[in-house]
Amino acid sequence: MISRKSKREIEKMQAAADVLVKCHKEIAKMMKPGITTMEIDAFTEKFLEEHGAIPEQKGYNGYPYAICASINDEICHGFPRHEKLKDGDIVTIDMVVNLDGGLADSAWTYAVGNVDEKGLRLMEVTKTCLYKGIEQARAGNRIGDIGHAIQQYAEGEGFSVVRDFTGHGIGPTLHEDPHIPHFGLPNKGLRLKEGMVITIEPMINEDSWHSQMDSNNWTARTIDQGRSAQYEHTIVITKDKPIILTDQDKE
Ligand code: MF3
Ligand code: CO
């Protein structure tokens, strides 16, 4: 079942997203060599608590932390660690905020210190993939249009699109229908409707797209040690441009 959200529900999700955006902006300032992702996890828990919000990921299907922190060849669902981040690492911080029952989900890849040129390009291309997907996300278009735009661009830049994890409908629970693959064919798949709230969250790899699961049964990483980046927004479908609830650039 694919739900369309009421104005009231969208307002609540926007309020959750506002807290999430503030938290990501604080994390951006902390992202320096020497900090640990465990410290960022603790910061996030405290920050959300101070804002009356709950880290939705913690306890979700048994996931143990407030954030996912995926370093270099980790694609997603990396566990926070006590090891210090090193100059040149790239780190994706993913979190879901629950404020008064409204949910928002957003991941962002951060550069730690000086990242090499290819790593920076991977990040830039992945962010552009997110916005190319968002451009296609409007009522009347189909889910395949989103994935196609992302795949075309990523592969054209010499990178690959992770197949094993997708965007998703969101609210009132974290993962709802439909799945939003980041690859696909134009004019295929379900038609998007006004009021649907979905995430677009491309994971783009510098080498092959294949992933393998760590022994913790959560963390996916590349099979060839190639790095992976990810940017994710929660968006509301409208007739025109979507509303980006987790936008970091608005006022
Ligand atoms: N935020 C992730 C997503 O985009 C969810 C991670 S799964 C969790 O779907 F268990 F860690 F919450
Ligand atoms: Co998500």
Side-chain angles (χ1 to χ4, degrees):
M1 224 273 293
I2 297 169
S3 68
R4 294 161 74 179
K5 270 68 178 177
S6 67
K7 196 162 165 264
R8 174 80 191 113
E9 284 172 297
I10 290 169
E11 279 167 9
K12 280 179 116 175
M13 296 179 89
Q14 180 66 76
D18 291 347
V19 174
L20 189 159
V21 165
K22 275 194 197 132
C23 190
H24 260 308
K25 286 185 170 170
E26 291 303 318
I27 290 171
K29 294 184 218 159
M30 299 164 72
M31 243 348 139
K32 300 215 169 82
I35 193 164
T36 72
T37 47
M38 201 58 92
E39 289 168 318
I40 296 169
D41 184 69
F43 169 82
T44 301
E45 256 204 88
K46 185 159 157 278
F47 186 94
L48 297 188
E49 197 192 322
E50 282 167 5
H51 288 78
I54 298 166
E56 184 72 8
Q57 291 188 157
K58 193 167 179 171
Y60 180 82
N61 290 337
Y63 185 77
Y65 300 100
I67 58 167
C68 299
S70 307
I71 305 170
N72 296 332
D73 67 331
E74 294 175 337
I75 295 170
C76 63
H77 307 159
F79 282 11
R81 294 193 201 141
H82 291 290
E83 257 165 69
K84 290 181 190 328
L85 291 173
K86 298 186 301 296
D87 187 60
D89 284 341
I90 67 169
V91 187
T92 302
I93 304 292
D94 191 359
M95 73 174 81
V96 181
V97 172
N98 180 335
L99 182 66
D100 197 18
L103 296 184
D105 184 0
S106 179
W108 213 255
T109 301
Y110 297 96
V112 181
N114 299 299
V115 170
D116 66 45
E117 206 178 305
K118 190 166 184 206
L120 291 175
R121 200 165 64 80
L122 176 67
M123 291 172 63
E124 199 54 44
V125 167
T126 306
K127 196 193 284 183
T128 303
C129 281
L130 168 60
Y131 288 102
K132 286 199 179 280
I134 288 174
E135 241 170 63
Q136 295 299 320
R138 60 181 67 204
N141 275 10
R142 293 176 184 259
I143 285 177
D145 296 322
I146 297 174
H148 182 69
I150 292 170
Q151 185 179 14
Q152 280 282 101
Y153 182 68
E155 292 180 356
E157 292 293 317
F159 295 133
S160 67
V161 179
V162 171
R163 309 284 202 268
D164 303 334
F165 301 90
T166 67
H168 49 89
I170 177 169
T173 62
L174 170 52
H175 290 137
E176 303 214 343
D177 286 339
H179 287 279
I180 312 288
H182 306 107
F183 58 95
L185 297 171
N187 213 20
K188 296 280 183 203
L190 189 99
R191 230 177 254 291
L192 296 164
K193 294 198 177 116
E194 240 181 299
M196 286 171 54
V197 182
I198 61 169
T199 72
I200 301 181
E201 48 183 299
M203 285 142 274
I204 305 296
N205 297 351
E206 63 179 334
D207 297 317
S208 106
W209 59 262
H210 291 93
S211 65
Q212 58 185 328
M213 188 59 82
D214 275 9
S215 57
N216 67 14
N217 262 318
W218 273 103
T219 308
R221 68 175 69 238
T222 62
I223 57 166
D224 47 24
Q225 284 85 54
R227 288 167 294 183
S228 187
Q230 181 183 26
Y231 293 84
E232 169 181 30
H233 276 314
T234 299
I235 65 172
V236 184
I237 303 299
T238 76
K239 286 199 202 87
D240 196 38
K241 279 190 189 131
I243 303 162
I244 305 175
L245 295 176
T246 48
D247 192 0
Q248 298 187 13
D249 300 325
K250 60 186 169 198
E251 54 314 344

